[in-house]
Amino acid sequence: MNRTLQVFLGVLALGVAISSAIAQERPRREVSWVNSKLPESPGLSHHVLPSKALGRDVGYVVWKPEDFDDSGATRYGVIYFLHGMGGNESADAGGFSSLVRSAVKRGVMPPVICVFPNGGRSGYRGEVETMIVDELIPLIDKSYPTKAEAGSRVVAGFSMGGAGSVRLSLLHPELFCAAASWGGGMWRDSETLLAAVDRDAKALKANAYATLLINGDQDRPDAYASLVEKLSAHAIPSQVVVLEDTPHNLGLYYQRSGKQMTDFLGEHLKPAQAAAP
């Protein structure tokens, strides 16, 4: 082997080893579970849930549409939006609620409530999954005039939250009628999720379940390939979108597919708004 090449490879290996050691020694950033500072956007309010599952207080944000009727005479569908790694309950509340507000004005979505949980760095697994499923969703249905059924509840998210939206909707088919993912994918949960589709296909189809899976061409465009194949085998609708010249960047996803995202969610929530009996 050329001596120069040997030296280069030796330096490269040393650099990788040093970088790996630094990464292992670097302390993991502590999760901030309550983040009450909200963006300047109408309709948002911050709340705190004393979570038994987490053993601590955890923040969440609620967005209510204009002319919200809190009398109980009108029932609303709910969108749960899950943030990505490093985010929190307030991080995406302004941007995503603005997209929803526009969709309502365009008439492609009924007035809905949006809920933004804090998922920490959990992947929406474990205690956070329990918090959302067993504590937050029942609390929202108790506190607001929602139509508390799967056909009136959808979940969406970005990155960790995109993966989390698909994961929660497939593992809890009694809760959601649709899931939409920006920049997500299946990682260590793939076998579990594929098995869940086989097991619960009947329940998913009964809720008219569907997915919208959006990835950039520079952001794992085939991330959901095995899931799409499995859903297709059960005749469960799944739309895959690959955005051109798009890396893992939420702002670009907003710009290039925000309308498509809200149109999809609105389509599945249109039957949700109804007069209370």
Side-chain angles (χ1 to χ4, degrees):
M1 182 184 294
N2 182 282
R3 177 62 180 169
T4 302
L5 180 58
Q6 283 183 318
V7 172
F8 171 76
L9 292 176
V11 171
L12 179 61
L14 178 61
V16 170
I18 292 172
S19 298
S20 177
I22 291 173
Q24 290 175 11
E25 292 177 3
R26 184 183 297 135
R28 191 172 184 178
R29 188 173 64 182
E30 185 176 349
V31 172
S32 176
W33 288 104
V34 178
N35 305 271
S36 58
K37 186 176 180 180
L38 291 171
E40 293 184 5
S41 187
L44 296 175
S45 58
H46 186 274
H47 308 267
V48 175
L49 166 65
S51 173
K52 293 181 180 179
L54 290 174
R56 67 176 77 236
D57 287 349
V58 58
Y60 64 97
V61 173
V62 174
W63 177 81
K64 295 188 294 187
E66 295 177 14
D67 302 320
F68 178 77
D69 178 10
D70 61 2
S71 71
T74 303
R75 296 289 174 180
Y76 295 88
V78 184
I79 301 172
Y80 286 83
F81 189 85
L82 311 182
H83 65 76
M85 185 72 73
N88 58 54
E89 74 272 24
S90 301
D92 303 324
F96 187 75
S97 64
S98 294
L99 290 177
V100 173
R101 185 184 305 111
S102 175
V104 172
K105 288 182 177 180
R106 289 188 288 113
V108 299
M109 181 182 289
V112 295
I113 296 168
C114 291
V115 180
F116 301 86
N118 188 337
R121 304 172 70 85
S122 67
Y124 300 94
R125 302 178 180 89
E127 292 85 357
V128 167
E129 177 179 356
T130 302
M131 178 271 292
I132 292 173
V133 170
D134 294 342
E135 297 177 336
L136 182 59
I137 291 178
L139 177 62
I140 294 299
D141 289 338
K142 179 180 178 181
S143 304
Y144 298 89
T146 67
K147 195 170 184 183
E149 60 186 34
S152 301
R153 196 184 290 120
V154 298
V155 58
F158 169 68
S159 190
M160 179 184 83
S165 69
V166 173
R167 182 181 185 278
L168 290 182
S169 66
L170 291 177
L171 295 183
H172 303 278
E174 76 284 1
L175 293 179
F176 303 101
C177 67
S181 169
W182 270 322
M186 297 196 305
W187 295 287
R188 66 186 188 191
D189 288 325
S190 58
E191 291 185 8
T192 300
L193 298 185
L194 296 178
V197 175
D198 283 333
R199 182 186 65 240
D200 296 321
K202 185 175 180 180
L204 292 166
K205 294 172 78 169
N207 290 332
Y209 177 81
T211 63
L212 173 64
L213 309 170
I214 305 177
N215 287 75
D217 58 359
Q218 302 168 32
D219 190 17
R220 300 158 300 170
D222 297 324
Y224 285 110
S226 59
L227 176 63
V228 172
E229 183 179 356
K230 178 67 71 174
L231 292 171
S232 178
H234 289 283
I236 297 172
S238 183
Q239 183 179 1
V240 177
V241 176
V242 178
L243 302 176
E244 294 184 0
D245 300 320
T246 303
H248 197 66
N249 182 296
L250 180 57
L252 292 178
Y253 278 102
Y254 274 19
Q255 294 171 20
R256 296 171 182 176
S257 59
K259 181 178 181 295
Q260 188 169 16
M261 169 75 80
T262 52
D263 284 0
F264 169 82
L265 297 174
E267 177 185 353
H268 289 274
L269 286 170
K270 273 190 173 179
Q273 190 180 13

